[in-house]
Amino acid sequence: MSLRQFAVAVILALSPLADAANLEQPATDPVPGTDTVHGCYKSLGVLVLEQTIDFNSQGACTTLCRNKTNLVAATNAKDCYCGDKYPNKADLVDDSECTEPCPGFGTQACGGLDTYTVYNTGERVSVGEAPAASSSTSSASKTSTTSSNTPASTSDPTETVTASSEPEKGSGTNVAGIAAGVVVGVVAITAFGGAAFFWLRRKRNAEIEEEHRRNAAVNAFISGGGKPPSSSGGLSMTDSRLDPVMNRRMSDGSIADNQDYSRRILRVTNA
């Protein structure tokens, strides 16, 4: 604290007018290396809470922020805030709004009810200010109003229902395709199995018939005195001796059936 500020504090402490209504010191021009009061504000802007100090005062808070190379400090009772920009000048209020005595120095004002005493720490004389809180608030409210008026909730359920119904249709199509494929596969397997069965059966019958023919040929060969059957006419299962025509032809060449052979016939031969 500078000697001038200390003198002002002493005068205010000794003055009968040093009450809650005039605790806030008037704003002064910044001085390099020395903390000065910048004013009473209803908003902190970009300042953040740095520490809660039981014996908080202008000197305690500005020293803490200056040690952290911050350009701006602010107090509200025991809370000390630091940052690099003043609050927006639109949030500047009358000094009479900062009526809270500092816990460490009762003749100084450390903010008030929803108000803050802001200081320049002396790190720099030229310090900027935060953007207006009203513009950010209005833009946020416009965004909120726009989002509330937008029928997003109506479109979202519709999209959700549509999205949920499409997989059901797709799944039904897939199930029908799978079922059709299974049926076609079963029919194809059955047809192939039936064709294979009949082919094997026909082949087996042909083998049995061929075996039967070979056996018949062997039997005919054995019964015919070793004479093989005619290949052109195939295998004959009938005995030629039982054929009356063949018997008649054989008898025509040897004995006449219409003659009487009971009497003895004499034949003359050349000796």
Side-chain angles (χ1 to χ4, degrees):
M1 180 184 296
S2 65
L3 181 61
R4 181 175 62 84
Q5 290 177 338
F6 179 76
V8 171
V10 171
I11 293 173
L12 290 175
L14 297 177
S15 175
L17 298 177
D19 53 12
N22 59 8
L23 288 177
E24 179 76 6
Q25 298 178 16
T28 58
D29 294 333
V31 178
T34 302
D35 53 271
T36 54
V37 177
H38 187 71
C40 181
Y41 287 80
K42 64 179 180 179
S43 174
L44 284 172
V46 293
L47 301 178
V48 295
L49 178 63
E50 188 64 38
Q51 187 176 335
T52 298
I53 305 173
D54 291 335
F55 298 97
N56 196 21
S57 65
Q58 175 180 336
C61 185
T62 54
T63 300
L64 175 65
C65 295
R66 186 166 48 247
N67 291 338
K68 295 181 177 295
T69 66
N70 289 125
L71 308 181
V72 181
T75 56
N76 180 277
K78 296 182 179 182
D79 295 333
C80 177
Y81 302 86
C82 299
D84 293 323
K85 289 185 178 181
Y86 297 129
N88 191 273
K89 62 184 178 181
D91 296 327
L92 181 65
V93 296
D94 192 83
D95 290 343
S96 61
E97 297 293 329
C98 291
T99 58
E100 183 67 27
C102 292
F105 204 83
T107 58
Q108 293 179 348
C110 284
L113 183 62
D114 297 327
T115 57
Y116 308 88
T117 300
V118 179
Y119 315 95
N120 184 300
T121 63
E123 284 289 308
R124 288 183 57 180
V125 174
S126 300
V127 179
E129 64 181 29
S134 59
S135 60
S136 60
T137 304
S138 61
S139 61
S141 62
K142 289 180 180 179
T143 304
S144 175
T145 305
T146 304
S147 61
S148 62
N149 292 333
T150 304
S153 59
T154 305
S155 60
D156 289 344
T158 304
E159 293 178 356
T160 303
V161 171
T162 304
S164 61
S165 62
E166 288 179 354
E168 292 179 358
K169 293 180 180 179
S171 61
T173 304
N174 293 335
V175 170
I178 292 172
V182 171
V183 171
V184 172
V186 171
V187 171
I189 293 173
T190 304
F192 179 78
F197 173 76
F198 285 111
W199 180 79
L200 292 175
R201 183 177 180 182
R202 183 175 180 181
K203 183 179 179 182
R204 180 60 178 168
N205 291 338
E207 292 177 354
I208 293 174
E209 184 177 355
E210 183 64 25
E211 184 178 0
H212 181 70
R213 288 179 179 178
R214 287 198 299 267
N215 293 335
V218 171
N219 293 333
F221 180 78
I222 295 173
S223 62
K227 184 180 179 181
S230 176
S231 59
S232 61
L235 295 177
S236 177
M237 299 302 296
T238 60
D239 192 350
S240 61
R241 293 174 295 178
L242 300 178
D243 189 355
V245 178
M246 293 299 295
N247 291 335
R248 189 179 301 112
R249 289 178 181 177
M250 292 176 64
S251 59
D252 288 343
S254 58
I255 301 174
D257 293 335
N258 56 356
Q259 294 183 12
D260 185 9
Y261 291 96
S262 60
R263 293 179 294 175
R264 190 179 184 85
I265 300 174
L266 297 177
R267 291 184 180 181
V268 179
T269 60
N270 295 323

